[in-house]
Amino acid sequence: MSQQKSSNPQRPTIGATQIRLLERLCNACAISGDEGEVRKIVLEQVRSHADEVKVDALGNVLVMRSGKAENRLRVMLAAHMDEIGFMLTQAEEDSTYRFDTVGGIDIRQLAGKPVWIGHEHVPGVIGAKPIHLTDSDDRDHTFTLESLRIDTGLGKNSKIQLGNRATFATAFSRLGGSLRAKALDDRLGVATLIELVKNAPANIDLLAAFTVQEEVGLRGAQVAAYALNPDLAFVLDSTPANDLPAWDGSENTRYNTRLGAGAAIYLADSSTLSDPRLVRFLIDTAEKHELAYQIRQPGGGGTDAGSIHKQRAGIPSVSISVPARYPHTAASIARLADWRSTLDLVYQALCNLTPEIFAADR
Ligand SMILES: [Zn+2]
């Protein structure tokens, strides 16, 4: 319950400490429904900065931090702890396992990828038929999920149980001004939200939700928004950048977002039409503080905002994402500068939020 708060919140920054924390978050395994490893890190980071911390029945971490001003808005900030991955469903002969996918995964990405299994990160591989044994017909067809197995090479291993989750075995690395890791979607959001809890401005009540089961249908956010009952919500996520040349080498004109162009503000995605007052407010804030931003192009995909905005009597919501290339694969790439722009934008927006934002016409 009540904890001692740090007395002097200040503008959050991203330096070596925050990058090390992101590294721990990305290397943790937290496939939907089994978010414990990330939850543990979140609890350790936020406890001493919060007025109240709860873990709800689904596993969401709900953090309350009250401000001091009069007429404070209750602002929900959500970031999902879970990542896409696999679930072991059946043991076969010779230490191989049938598995199912958890969340949106392109089966063509899987053959030949090393994985970590369970809480002990037991190493394995999603085996692929080697080229020596394939014919041209094989090579023209993609694998089916039913034909793939996770191979642990260990004989019977008591550390592995059916229902265990597995994830791509990709260790975090920093590549100059870029970051390469699995699960940047949405550990970038989780790391951003941790910094905002630690440095919450006093003009609002900050209601942070580190949510579960986003990748299987925005499930944790649904109950978190009900419990927190906020006036509005910002959702912090990572969205695909689609900024490489088209297959024939021509310029790609159908980008979703681009690396290096700053925080991505959503107008709409397949699950939400963003509240236009919040979109305008974010753009004005970015312009005023000269922060890099881009408008994420409308289209597929969704964030926790999809369930939050429909909760109770409706909650004005908008999403802000750090763009990353290749999400939901073994390794994605994001830019440090985009992460910084996103943290700066959300922090400045929070500092300037007042109830007048809802006085304007839509
Ligand atoms: Zn996400």
Side-chain angles (χ1 to χ4, degrees), residues 80 82 185-186 214-215 237-238 302-303 328:
H80 68 90
D82 63 315
D185 170 14
D186 185 26
E214 190 267 359
E215 297 288 6
D237 211 321
S238 176
T303 71
H328 293 210

Side-chain angles (χ1 to χ4, degrees), residues 17 21 24-25 39-49 194-195 197-198:
T17 307
L21 176 60
R24 284 178 66 205
L25 288 165
R39 183 165 44 242
K40 196 169 159 204
I41 299 171
V42 168
L43 289 170
E44 156 210 305
Q45 292 290 319
V46 301
R47 269 200 198 287
S48 62
H49 300 274
I194 287 171
E195 294 311 309
V197 169
K198 289 180 176 175

